[in-house]
Amino acid sequence: MKAVALTRYLPIEDPEALIDVELPRPSPQGRDLLVEVRAVAVNPVDAKVRAPKDTVEKTPRVIGYDAAGVVVEAGPGATLFRPGDEVWYAGDITRPGANQQFHLVDERIVGRKPRTLDFAEAAALPLTTITAYEAMYDRLGIDRDGGSAGQSILMFGGAGGVGSIAIQLAKRSGLTVIATASRPETIDWALSLGADHTVDHRGDVVAQVRALGFEHVDHVAIFNDMRHWAAAVELIRPQGGIVTIDDTHHPMPMEMMKTKAAALHWEFMFARAMHRTPDMIEQHRLLNFVADEIDAGRLRTTVAEVLRPIDAATMREAHRRIETGAARGKIVVEGFPAASS
């Protein structure tokens, strides 16, 4: 089968950063599904995993953590899906990724693909959907079905991949959403997804939020990086909560968090699969829930651009765009090249 892989960790401008390879087609065991991959999305985590370092892989390493495709085989322990089912998922960072024609994935972290989306539109969503859903409902404790209606949430990185789905989920749950965005196109994007207000993260976020009439907000979600930690701590209400998905590359003083009795939550959507937690199947359930919401017209895809085909050159270009940090919505790569005759 065709795959896009790496053996060395190189700058994305290097033509060897991602390469085209042929790999054996795997066979499903246990609760695994073998999925014929039709489309994949590129996320910041792909660029982080592929970041330059001295390691050299003995065998080609396949990455990629967003996929939509069709089940072609099911392991003997699989009960949730059967061959022919259309599915979407983000996968497991401890296993080979989805940038290959046939991919093994545990059915407990797989959902049914929304019927109203094509494969490219669906592939844009799983990783960011799981991250946004878990961040708000599992970590911050927001009531999914309206019990937290009227509360406020400030989202840093509101126009990015995770923010784009988080805005929609928050509005569905009745929250007032303040999203950070700095360019006309990202401001328009955030507002089109339902954000009530936008503030420019390149300016004084605290002053801008307070000018909107919010002394504090009930929840803060940091979906980009920790540069805005001080503003997040200043704006969170006493006994409120901050959730973040980023690494701790910046100082995170905790003094005011303590005096506010505020909570800090980490969201890492691979944790359930990585640690085989007892509630691992919750990702299957949440993906099915979101599929139903999409098919009912209450949520929409966040795909911004579709590139073709799934090969090393196209994937390098997708990674290059992600590494700029200015992406609006999601970049999807669709369709493996046809076999040459």
Side-chain angles (χ1 to χ4, degrees):
M1 65 174 180
K2 296 180 184 295
V4 178
L6 60 85
T7 56
R8 294 183 295 155
Y9 296 83
L10 302 167
I12 198 58
E13 294 78 13
D14 192 308
E16 298 296 311
L18 292 168
I19 56 175
D20 294 306
V21 297
E22 292 277 342
L23 297 175
R25 173 170 159 163
S27 297
Q29 306 294 324
R31 298 192 69 173
D32 276 349
L33 307 173
L34 183 65
V35 177
E36 181 185 1
V37 175
R38 300 291 182 83
V40 297
V42 181
N43 295 282
V45 66
D46 297 74
K48 288 182 180 180
V49 171
R50 204 217 71 253
K53 51 182 172 285
D54 293 335
T55 306
V56 177
E57 300 290 345
K58 294 180 180 178
T59 58
R61 180 183 182 182
V62 179
I63 61 174
Y65 309 104
D66 253 338
V70 179
V71 176
V72 292
E73 293 181 49
T79 60
L80 302 175
F81 298 97
R82 59 187 180 184
D85 288 343
E86 297 183 350
V87 296
W88 63 340
Y89 58 91
D92 178 350
I93 201 167
T94 66
R95 302 181 69 180
N99 296 342
Q100 52 189 14
Q101 282 183 295
F102 297 95
H103 183 229
L104 289 178
V105 61
D106 190 299
E107 66 172 356
R108 288 170 289 182
I109 56 173
V110 175
R112 72 157 188 88
K113 182 182 78 66
R115 291 184 294 272
T116 54
L117 298 185
D118 63 27
F119 287 104
E121 292 168 331
L125 287 170
L127 184 145
T128 53
T129 294
I130 295 168
T131 302
Y133 186 108
E134 291 183 349
M136 291 195 299
Y137 303 135
D138 295 339
R139 311 297 171 236
L140 289 174
I142 295 167
D143 186 273
R144 188 185 75 181
D145 299 314
S148 303
Q151 294 182 0
S152 56
I153 185 167
L154 170 63
M155 296 184 188
F156 290 93
V162 177
S164 293
I165 189 68
I167 289 171
Q168 297 182 73
L169 290 173
K171 290 306 299 177
R172 182 200 170 279
S173 299
L175 273 64
T176 298
V177 176
I178 308 165
T180 69
S182 61
R183 293 175 287 126
E185 60 268 30
T186 54
I187 292 170
D188 290 345
W189 176 259
L191 293 173
S192 76
L193 294 169
D196 298 282
H197 311 280
T198 64
V199 295
D200 186 348
H201 53 262
R202 294 185 295 193
D204 186 334
V205 173
V206 174
Q208 292 174 76
V209 170
R210 289 186 171 155
L212 293 171
F214 299 88
E215 180 66 19
H216 296 106
V217 293
D218 296 297
H219 312 280
V220 175
I222 302 175
F223 293 141
N224 48 13
D225 59 45
M226 303 307 292
R227 287 174 294 172
H228 304 289
W229 174 251
V233 174
E234 173 65 29
L235 288 167
I236 192 62
R237 67 166 169 82
Q239 302 184 88
I242 299 173
V243 66
T244 181
I245 65 174
D246 194 56
D247 299 327
T248 55
H249 295 319
H250 297 273
M252 296 172 61
M254 293 288 165
E255 291 85 353
M256 193 180 297
M257 290 288 285
K258 177 184 177 181
T259 58
K260 284 187 172 183
L264 170 62
H265 306 272
W266 295 101
E267 164 54 20
F268 185 59
M269 59 78 50
F270 293 116
R272 280 173 160 146
M274 176 184 290
H275 300 289
R276 294 292 188 270
T277 60
D279 65 348
M280 183 172 164
I281 200 169
E282 289 302 317
Q283 290 195 350
H284 164 74
R285 293 172 179 152
L286 79 83
L287 286 170
N288 283 351
F289 168 80
V290 172
D292 289 340
E293 292 295 291
I294 289 170
D295 289 339
R298 290 187 285 269
L299 298 173
R300 66 181 174 94
T301 183
T302 58
V303 64
E305 191 169 12
V306 179
L307 308 178
R308 299 179 181 87
I310 304 174
D311 64 11
T314 309
M315 293 300 295
R316 288 195 300 270
E317 174 59 18
H319 275 240
R320 186 193 66 78
R321 297 185 192 188
I322 285 291
E323 288 184 3
T324 67
R328 172 183 63 85
K330 292 294 292 291
I331 298 172
V332 173
V333 188
E334 182 180 37
F336 281 90
S340 56
S341 56

